[in-house]
Amino acid sequence: MSTRFVLASASPARLKTLRAAGIEPEVIVSGVDEDNVTAENPGELARLLAVLKARAVVANLDDHATVLGCDSVLEFDGVAYGKPGTPEVARERWRMMRGRRGVLHTGHCLFDTSSKQEIRELASTEVQFADLTDEEIDAYVETGEPLVVAGSFTVDGLGGPFVTAIEGDYHNVVGLSLPLLRRMLIEVDITWPELWRSQKPFTYDESVAETYDETRGGPARAEAAARAVDSLLPKGGRVLELAVGTGIVGAELVALGNLVHGVDLSVAMLERARVRLPGHVAAADATRLPVADRRCDAVVAVWLLHLLDDSEPVIAEVARVLRTDGVFVTTTEKSDAGRYADGRGPNDTRSQDALAHLVAVAARHGLVLDGATSFVGPTRNTGDAPTYPVVRFRRS
């Protein structure tokens, strides 16, 4: 099975850096409160924050993965500077930094759950700042960029002209050191080409299918997922489940009164699904469904979109097969859906099942977000019971 590589960071710059290097990570935001973490020096603070981010994500995983946590801190005169947060603080920092040199530390923590290895490293790069005028500082702060980045500057954005020299790894200043990450991956027996996006994320063969249900929460999680999905479905309609897997969720939807058909690409999974949904499963690609236009009342995707390099072809196909007023119900990336449930706007991440991304893509294909719910999974060995968000889009 291919490596599941997770980036435990919401940083668009880190995601862009990995993508440019051929890696499409799964993004899971850690939720670590950075403001309440202290360490004996700026470098150790960056490394500790990276460790905490990686561990927080690992604690909530359902299956094996290689998780990368990163955090950056700028050191000036032995003091650590993170994100300034306010324009006043950003202006004060730039007046201190202009014409001087600082050190940008980025902590890296790679946690491989299969081998149970945790590797912690620190990369440090010296940065020379231009001697900005007060007017230039005010103009830069007004863009908003320095308020939300470590050290109040970027080298790959609007702040690029204000950095005159770098001694060390350029990518480290952006947010993660690619050469360092490569060496860390080698320590857990993963080569860089294994993570290139051309490789399929997962292959659900017989060995995976055999233990799939028990390693992913079993009947308890399937029942909870089905109840949540059912609450967003029209009653008495025809439901198509994408990536039906072993049929464990689909069978629960049938028990709740739905007519369910399932498709999947994995023969090993379908062998199990056809026992639970006899006569109602087929081998098919979710981007080329064997269904005529406007034939489905509902389409369901449970834990599918986050596995994809690009979810838009699937969403476009969903829109094609849905009747007018039909619905698409899908699980979504946890942090964004939590914001939606709380009545806040979505966070702009690039994960293929992130709510902000889904809303934008769905709108291009005539699908409008109009409902949301969630369900609680079984308690893990950490003592936590994870909450899984589910959203509904309606065909206009």
Side-chain angles (χ1 to χ4, degrees), residues 167-316:
E167 287 188 20
D169 182 4
Y170 165 86
H171 294 107
N172 187 58
V173 182
V174 177
L176 67 88
S177 170
L178 294 176
L180 175 57
L181 175 58
R182 173 183 167 272
R183 295 194 299 272
M184 295 170 75
L185 287 165
I186 290 173
E187 291 190 46
V188 295
D189 296 322
I190 297 174
T191 65
W192 193 268
E194 288 180 59
L195 297 179
W196 279 338
R197 66 166 66 94
S198 59
Q199 188 179 41
K200 291 182 180 180
F202 296 95
T203 301
Y204 290 115
D205 56 16
E206 178 60 35
S207 63
V208 177
E210 184 177 9
T211 60
Y212 187 85
D213 291 346
E214 64 184 78
T215 58
R216 286 164 174 79
R221 190 170 76 154
E223 291 172 8
R227 287 194 297 271
V229 170
D230 179 70
S231 71
L232 298 176
L233 292 176
K235 302 309 175 187
R238 178 177 296 180
V239 179
L240 178 65
E241 184 180 0
L242 309 182
V244 68
T246 64
I248 190 169
V249 174
E252 295 296 335
L253 287 173
V254 170
L256 292 169
N258 300 284
L259 175 61
V260 179
H261 303 273
V263 296
D264 206 296
L265 281 176
S266 168
V267 174
M269 291 291 205
L270 287 171
E271 283 296 314
R272 288 158 175 78
R274 70 186 183 90
V275 176
R276 289 178 167 136
L277 301 168
H280 291 271
V281 296
D285 187 331
T287 64
R288 294 186 295 274
L289 294 170
V291 179
D293 294 356
R294 307 292 185 264
R295 294 297 300 275
C296 296
D297 299 296
V299 178
V300 170
V302 180
W303 298 302
L304 166 64
L305 300 183
H306 75 281
L307 301 177
L308 306 178
D309 291 333
D310 183 4
S311 59
E312 182 153 9
V314 172
I315 294 171

Side-chain angles (χ1 to χ4, degrees), residues 363-379:
R364 290 198 288 268
H365 299 281
L367 299 172
V368 179
L369 179 68
D370 79 337
T373 187
S374 63
F375 65 95
V376 178
T379 302

Side-chain angles (χ1 to χ4, degrees), residues 231-235 297-299 315 318-319 322-330 358-359 362-363 365-372 391-396:
S231 71
L232 298 176
L233 292 176
K235 302 309 175 187
D297 299 296
V299 178
I315 294 171
V318 167
L322 277 177
R323 299 182 190 275
T324 299
D325 209 37
V327 300
F328 175 43
V329 178
T330 179
L358 292 182
V359 169
H365 299 281
L367 299 172
V368 179
L369 179 68
D370 79 337
V391 293
R392 180 179 66 198
F393 295 87
R394 190 172 297 275
R395 183 75 165 88
S396 58

